[in-house]
Amino acid sequence: MFQQILDPIAGSLLLSALCAALPLVLLFVLLGVFRVKAAKAAIASLVLSLVLAVAGWQMPLDQALSATAAGIFYGLFPILWILVNALWIYKLTVATPWFDALGRTIRSISNDLRVLSILIAFCFGALLESLAGFGAPVAISAAMLMAAGMTPLKSAVVSLLANTAPVAFGAMAAPIIALNGVTGLPLHDLSSMAGRQTPFIALIVPLLLVFIVDGRRGLKQTWPVALVAGAAFAAAQFVTSNFLAVELTDVVAAVVTVAAVLLMLKVWQPKESVRVEGSVQDVSVPAMAGGTSAGGTSAAGKSAAGNGPQESTTAAGRQGSVPDRSGGPADNTRPAPREVWLAVAPYLIIIAVFSIAQIPFIKTWLGQVGTVTFAWPGLHIEDSAGKAVAATKFKLDHLKSTGTLLLFSGLITMALYRISAGKGLRIYGETLKQLRWTIVTVTAVLALSFVMNLSGQTTTLGFALASAGGFFAFLSPLIGWIGVALTGSDTSSNSLFGQMQATAAAQTGLSPVLMAASNSSAGVMGKMLSLQNLAVASAAVGLEGAEGTLFRKLVGWSLGLLALITVLIVLQSTPVLGWMVP
């Protein structure tokens, strides 16, 4: 039996905490300063954590290696099992004409780029985030906005900013599931808590998008539809995460928001329409916090001027095709109703499969035959107080796993689209190949998390941070923000810091559920600044090397949203809004 030591380095909690932080510092420095690939940085940090666990925290080598294996296994199943199958479904749709039909359906709704920024970047981006994640929503949304007539630089900025509110529940709630795995806190409580935080950001984001597209005029003319979109998404996100299935949160929220916006546009239209007209200089983006306007003289702005059309204001209702990235006309004709239904079929199938799995007798049956709990081999660990560490036991959901339900949904999608088994397997192989470095990164980060948690390094950090007392409520959101900004993944950030947040919260008298969920909810504000996402956005719009420009344009928005959610979290840690904590 290995018992964790709280202050193994010279008997000092401060020195021990500084040493425990070294793997995280190394990860941040490698990613943020030296720009080492995430996979290599995670492996290097894992090795350092193993050395500290054995030499500093006196963890037996066999148990340290067993903890590493446990983290790798948890990274593969359920986390990557979810991500791979979710991205596979998305790639199945791209391999058919129905994805293009979905794009035409969205573009046929309006020729106003302010409205399209909500429909494409916010709504459709959330739908993609629920399945693919890892940069896919940003890349696809940005390309679709360019096809609709938006300039490259602005397309990237809008898509990155929109990729915030849905991230905490992205990839079928993989971040929340990972948080549950490393903290042992009830999944429903974590889901409910995050669902009482991120909706407040969802309410604001559409308003910010129309402001970015058209400044104060855009906000003045299109605030009703932006407010409807934000309110619909926020309400659906809250209801689904608290009362339905956490895995379906973003899917339901995105579908409900699209429906709400479409209904709104039937009874209301902005007085003017910001659309494309053939010029090659972008002049309509207002100056944003942290950088010059998109119409300024930065290198990326000049590149945008050479690649994109100008947006101008015309009378509402004017129709016409807009150029796509290759300069040809983009098809904005509305598909036939049958094509529309087939285009959205994969998402409806997912909702149906997960809804069926929630039927009481089916849910009970899946819980009996579709899950197994076992003690991880070779781990015999007690915490510093002599209590057994819960993370040494695994609950393996095989048949009832989110990833397995997604696999069933993908097979049904294949049958509906008449995709052959051979083609489906080839696309699955392409998915694995595309995610190969993501697989290495996620497994290494989860292994690092498990080694730090099981050796006691995380507990040491948590107790040290607890010395901040009630001020920790201010620190908690910042920790999550830094984690996502550097790793590019809310899942990875939750895996690294979830247990530390819960430990520090318990020591300071705060709610562990509140602080753990805050790591995820506040962390998503750093997503738009992560190097991975910036690189994906730059490449998607043909502005390679513009990461610095995008960073400067978005840092103000990111910090502003972080400040807002920090105020909310601090109030939730007090009697003022403490009633919101489950």
Side-chain angles (χ1 to χ4, degrees), residues 290-303:
T292 60
S293 71
T297 58
S298 66
K302 292 177 181 177
S303 179

Side-chain angles (χ1 to χ4, degrees), residues 265-402:
L265 293 176
K266 284 184 177 294
V267 299
W268 176 92
Q269 290 283 342
K271 292 181 179 179
E272 296 177 315
S273 177
V274 173
R275 60 188 298 273
V276 67
E277 285 198 339
S279 174
V280 292
Q281 186 178 10
D282 179 11
V283 296
S284 62
V285 180
M288 290 176 284
T292 60
S293 71
T297 58
S298 66
K302 292 177 181 177
S303 179
N307 287 284
Q310 178 185 5
E311 292 138 16
S312 63
T313 306
T314 63
R318 287 177 58 178
Q319 301 295 326
S321 62
V322 296
D324 63 11
R325 292 180 64 184
S326 62
D331 187 358
N332 291 342
T333 57
R334 184 186 297 272
R338 176 179 176 276
E339 294 182 16
V340 174
W341 281 109
L342 283 170
V344 301
Y347 309 103
L348 298 178
I349 289 170
I350 290 171
I351 293 174
V353 168
F354 278 85
S355 298
I356 291 171
Q358 294 302 312
I359 296 174
F361 77 91
I362 295 179
K363 186 176 182 179
T364 301
W365 179 78
L366 286 174
Q368 292 173 345
V369 304
T371 185
V372 60
T373 301
F374 62 95
W376 187 263
L379 289 181
H380 309 285
I381 301 174
E382 294 177 344
D383 62 20
S384 57
K387 298 179 180 179
V389 176
T392 58
K393 288 190 176 182
F394 266 70
K395 182 182 179 183
L396 177 62
D397 295 329
H398 42 87
L399 190 58
K400 67 175 288 189
S401 165
T402 299

